[in-house]
Amino acid sequence: MVRAKKTPHPFDRHLGAAIRAARARRDVSREALSTQTGIALSNLKRREDGANETTVSELERIAAVLRVPAREIVDMALSDYASHEPDRPGGPQDGLRKLLASVSDAPRTIDDADNVTYIGHVAPAARDAANTDERRPTSD
């Protein structure tokens, strides 16, 4: 069975760019970051390019090596993600709203065609409503 290729979310590209920017600010090479985090160099490159998702664990290790709070990297990515809306730049909160909207399921609507009449008992019979197991007292 062939697995379908998983495509990364557009946010992953912004998170990778934020990781790359934080690494560049700290003047840390990709090779050094790879060695210190234990993330393979090829995997780190794919994460920075946004081709692969970055796990929370990997982000924490990257942030620790760069001595930057992981929240700062995520906020940079969220701001960048929000600012790609044509009419307005945005901050981390706008990016978070946009990200949540993109991964949330659309609200389900119930159509008249979905309405099915239930044919069973509307209410249980009185004898079925409670445990009315009539036990006869023993004549012992």
Side-chain angles (χ1 to χ4, degrees):
M1 173 187 260
V2 177
R3 273 187 0 194
K5 184 175 180 181
K6 185 176 179 183
T7 58
H9 190 277
F11 176 73
D12 293 323
R13 194 175 78 249
H14 298 284
L15 183 58
I19 291 170
R20 183 182 296 117
R23 182 175 58 77
R25 273 198 323 267
R26 294 291 187 188
D27 198 28
V28 175
S29 71
R30 190 180 286 150
E31 292 78 11
L33 184 59
S34 170
T35 302
Q36 293 176 16
T37 59
I39 300 170
L41 183 61
S42 60
N43 287 343
L44 186 59
K45 179 180 181 344
R46 284 193 297 265
R47 278 147 181 76
E48 284 188 356
D49 292 342
N52 283 8
E53 296 175 342
T54 303
T55 66
V56 173
S57 171
E58 291 168 337
L59 183 60
E60 286 290 334
R61 288 185 287 171
I62 290 167
V65 169
L66 297 176
R67 294 185 315 277
V68 173
R71 171 75 186 252
E72 184 178 315
I73 295 172
V74 171
D75 282 350
M76 286 172 40
L78 286 171
S79 295
D80 188 40
Y81 185 61
S83 69
H84 279 77
E85 288 188 23
D87 19 347
R88 62 178 188 154
Q93 290 300 319
D94 296 321
L96 182 58
R97 276 191 283 279
K98 181 180 174 185
L99 179 62
L100 289 174
S102 73
V103 296
S104 298
D105 291 333
R108 293 192 58 203
T109 57
I110 297 179
D111 194 302
D112 285 337
D114 295 327
N115 194 4
V116 178
T117 304
Y118 178 67
I119 301 176
H121 294 286
V122 174
R127 136 182 107 75
D128 295 330
N131 185 4
T132 57
D133 185 12
E134 297 177 21
R135 298 179 189 251
R136 298 191 182 126
T138 58
S139 56
D140 293 319

